[in-house]
């Protein structure tokens, strides 16, 4: 509305001022032109009547007085001796009159000026004899005539202009108010729709197709809403998965404890056996909670990373050494191919956790007597680690899901070998916080390869 008012009123004021001032210029120059013409005629009269030889010629002075009456002005005639020989007001006749303009005029320079403050035009012109070729300056005529009439017209013009301006201002204000409220309505609707969604449920998209702009805003908002919904759904799913996973070991423990309680005089062996099972379930519960905590920690801001320069060859060697006993139980061979020495800025604990999970999986989901090959290579920017195994592989339709939290291809088998479904999500989070990437390739019953890429230098 402010812009509309400025656009409407400022030009109107400028136009009004422009019209008044150009009218004034035009009127003054027209008046000056007329006066000058009359003066020329009077000068010719003065010369032809030989006024300077015989001053106070009644008919000439009558003409001069008539002229000054018509233009409500005053005429002074100054002769060669700078003496005033005629004054319409008869005040200064006989006095000397030496001024800059008069002196200049005797040198042949006419002057004409408009005194805006006192509202009069002053013209000083030479009276030249025109006989023969000589052009002597016999005297100077000074004419000052009032411009009150012009000022009165300007006043009227200004009053009318002011009235017009007031009308325009009222119209612009009304028009501006109406137009701005009409134009802004769709935006108000967008705000209202967004507020409604903020207060209520996330299940509705908003649509305000009135303008291209509102459509773009609502489209962008709907997209954002879509992401929020997905996040909300995944949060809900996560919570329900967590509850389910945490409840399963508890349910088993309860069944075991109940069956012991129900049996009177249960033998000691039975107690020992059931207690072992309960301990296993407690271990499992513990593992799920530990994994969940690692995941939550990784989801936090990257500021928690403890970045330092680490030798990756040593790191991988240590991981394999630690896991060797587990692999040996199933006669699985662990091989490390280090193609070059690699030092990188990483958080050692988190990257160790990531690679340990990959190698652990490669052992867990392997076949008796199989192999796991870990290789390390690098280029100018990244180092690459691949963990390949000769294991059971992952079905094609599961490949996209293995990094999801709690996802397991074969739930019962995974549970048997102690999987929580959180290992790969932990690995992926750890690698992503280092601005790296992870990919998986697999063929069922042939084996799986995870390839990881991490930059040497950590960029926040
Ligand atoms: P888990 O704790 O069950 O191992 P992960 O997140 O580590 O959970 O892995 C998710 C699922 O991906 C596993 O349950 C398993 O089915 C599959 N998987 C992971 N690594 C391999 C592998 N090297 N070979 C075959 N399947 C794998």
């Amino acid at each position: 509305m402010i812009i509309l008012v400025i656009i409407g009123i400022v030009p109107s004021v400028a136009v009004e001022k422009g019209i008044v001032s150009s009218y004034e210029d035009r009127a003054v120059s027209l008046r000056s032109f007329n006066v000058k013409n009359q003066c020329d005629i009077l000068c010719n009269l003065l010369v032809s009547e030989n006024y300077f030889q015989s001053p106070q010629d009644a008919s000439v002075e009558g003409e001069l007085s008539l002229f000054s009456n018509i233009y409500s002005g005053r005429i002074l005639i100054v002769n060669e001796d700078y003496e005033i020989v005629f004054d319409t007001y008869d005040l200064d006749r006989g006095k000397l009159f030496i001024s800059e303009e008069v002196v200049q005029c005797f040198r042949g320079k006419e002057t004409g000026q408009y005194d805006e403050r006192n509202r009069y035009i002053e013209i000083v012109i030479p009276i030249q004899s025109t006989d023969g070729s000589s052009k002597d300056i016999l005297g100077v005529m000074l004419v000052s005539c009032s411009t009150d009439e012009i000022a009165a017209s300007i006043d009227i013009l200004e009053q009318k202009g002011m009235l017009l301006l007031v009308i325009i201002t009222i119209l612009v204000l009304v028009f501006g108010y109406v137009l701005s409220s009409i134009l802004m309505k769709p935006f108000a609707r967008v705000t209202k729709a967004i507020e409604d969604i903020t207060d209520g449920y996330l299940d509705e998209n908003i649509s305000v197709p009135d303008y291209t702009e509102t459509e773009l805003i609502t489209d962008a908002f709907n997209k954002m809403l879509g992401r929020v919904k997905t996040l909300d759904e995944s949060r809900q799913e996560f919570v329900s998965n967590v509850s389910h996973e945490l409840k399963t070991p508890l349910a088993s423990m309860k069944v075991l404890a109940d069956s012991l309680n129900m049996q009177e005089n249960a033998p000691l062996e039975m107690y020992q056996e059931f207690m072992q099972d309960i301990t296993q379930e407690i271990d499992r519960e513990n593992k799920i909670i530990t994994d969940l905590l690692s995941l939550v920690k990784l989801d936090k801001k990257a500021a928690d990373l403890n970045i330092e320069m680490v030798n990756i060859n040593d790191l991988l060697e240590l991981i394999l050494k630690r896991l060797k006993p587990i692999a040996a139980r199933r006669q699985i061979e662990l091989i490390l191919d280090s193609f070059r020495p690699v030092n990188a800025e990483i958080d050692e604990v988190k990257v160790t956790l990531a690679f340990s999970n990959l190698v652990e999986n490669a052992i867990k989901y392997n076949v008796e007597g199989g192999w796991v090959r870990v290789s390390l290579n690098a280029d100018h920017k990244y180092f690459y680690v691949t963990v390949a195994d000769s294991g059971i592989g992952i079905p094609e339709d599961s490949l996209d899901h293995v990094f999801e939290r709690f996802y397991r291809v074969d739930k019962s088998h995974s549970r048997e070998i102690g999987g929580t479904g959180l290992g790969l999500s932990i690995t992926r989070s750890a690698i992503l916080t280092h601005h790296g990437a992870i990919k998986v390739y697999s063929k069922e019953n042939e084996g799986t390869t995870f390839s990881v890429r991490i930059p040497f230098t950590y960029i926040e």
Side-chain angles (χ1 to χ4, degrees), residues 335-373:
I335 310 150
L336 174 63
D337 289 334
S338 284
F339 289 100
R340 62 190 73 220
V342 174
N343 286 296
E345 287 176 10
I346 53 159
D347 181 320
E348 190 172 2
V349 176
K350 286 176 181 133
V351 171
T352 303
L353 187 65
F355 289 142
S356 297
N357 280 342
L358 291 181
V359 181
E360 246 176 79
N361 279 351
I363 299 169
K364 277 196 301 191
Y365 302 103
N366 216 321
V367 287
E368 199 103 351
W371 50 261
V372 175
R373 185 182 290 273

Side-chain angles (χ1 to χ4, degrees), residues 152-383:
S153 306
I154 286 171
D155 278 351
I156 294 170
L157 206 65
E158 270 179 342
Q159 274 172 18
K160 286 196 172 153
M162 209 50 182
L163 187 74
L164 221 67
L165 257 184
V166 171
I167 294 171
I168 288 175
T169 307
I170 293 170
L171 283 179
V172 165
L173 283 175
V174 173
F175 181 71
Y177 180 75
V178 173
L179 195 70
S180 61
S181 42
I182 291 174
L183 286 178
M184 288 298 142
K185 218 167 230 163
F187 290 99
R189 283 226 301 282
V190 172
T191 315
K192 173 93 177 49
I194 292 176
E195 273 170 2
D196 285 351
I197 285 183
T198 315
D199 296 342
Y201 294 106
L202 303 175
D203 47 3
E204 253 179 56
N205 277 351
I206 58 172
S207 157
V208 183
D210 304 39
Y211 303 142
T212 318
E213 287 79 4
T214 52
E215 215 172 340
L216 289 175
I217 293 173
T218 49
D219 282 354
F221 180 80
N222 287 337
K223 259 189 216 150
M224 191 202 72
L225 200 65
R227 288 207 55 190
V228 172
K229 271 190 242 172
T230 318
L231 277 175
D232 193 50
E233 275 161 24
S234 93
R235 186 184 57 82
Q236 279 178 9
E237 194 188 306
F238 180 61
V239 171
S240 79
N241 280 343
V242 168
S243 327
H244 177 77
E245 295 296 328
L246 290 178
K247 271 179 86 175
T248 321
L250 281 178
S252 309
M253 282 187 259
K254 186 163 166 42
V255 170
L256 289 164
D258 277 352
S259 45
L260 275 183
N261 282 338
M262 278 185 337
Q263 281 216 10
E264 276 175 33
N265 307 322
L268 181 67
E269 296 79 46
M270 194 177 171
Y271 264 101
Q272 281 172 339
E273 196 194 322
F274 278 32
M275 275 304 163
Q276 263 174 13
D277 291 346
I278 290 179
T279 316
Q280 265 179 17
E281 291 302 324
I282 291 173
D283 285 345
R284 188 174 159 67
E285 182 98 42
N286 210 0
K287 179 152 176 36
I288 296 173
I289 293 172
T290 318
D291 279 359
L292 272 174
L293 286 177
S294 319
L295 198 63
V296 171
K297 265 193 218 154
L298 277 165
D299 280 348
K300 276 205 206 148
K301 287 269 161 295
D304 293 346
L305 287 182
N306 178 23
I307 300 290
E308 52 194 352
M309 194 55 98
V310 177
N311 182 287
I312 308 297
N313 309 66
D314 292 350
L315 182 137
L316 290 175
E317 214 163 292
L318 203 74
I319 292 174
L320 293 197
K321 201 173 151 198
R322 237 177 6 88
L323 294 172
K324 210 155 207 142
I326 306 172
R329 268 185 241 154
R330 298 175 62 207
Q331 290 88 45
I332 292 167
E333 193 188 357
L334 296 187
I335 310 150
L336 174 63
D337 289 334
S338 284
F339 289 100
R340 62 190 73 220
V342 174
N343 286 296
E345 287 176 10
I346 53 159
D347 181 320
E348 190 172 2
V349 176
K350 286 176 181 133
V351 171
T352 303
L353 187 65
F355 289 142
S356 297
N357 280 342
L358 291 181
V359 181
E360 246 176 79
N361 279 351
I363 299 169
K364 277 196 301 191
Y365 302 103
N366 216 321
V367 287
E368 199 103 351
W371 50 261
V372 175
R373 185 182 290 273
V374 179
S375 70
L376 170 65
N377 209 339
D379 60 16
H380 62 290
K381 208 170 165 197
Y382 300 99
F383 68 89

Side-chain angles (χ1 to χ4, degrees), residues 287 291 357-358 361-366 387 389 391-395 401-404 406-410 414-415 417-427 442 447-450:
K287 179 152 176 36
D291 279 359
N357 280 342
L358 291 181
N361 279 351
I363 299 169
K364 277 196 301 191
Y365 302 103
N366 216 321
V387 179
D389 64 53
I392 57 170
I394 302 169
H401 304 288
V402 286
F403 295 108
E404 287 169 14
F406 295 114
Y407 185 84
R408 281 161 291 180
V409 175
D410 178 351
S414 179
R415 200 176 135 76
I417 53 179
T420 59
L422 292 170
L424 284 182
S425 7
I426 293 173
T427 300
S442 186
T448 307
T449 303
F450 283 92

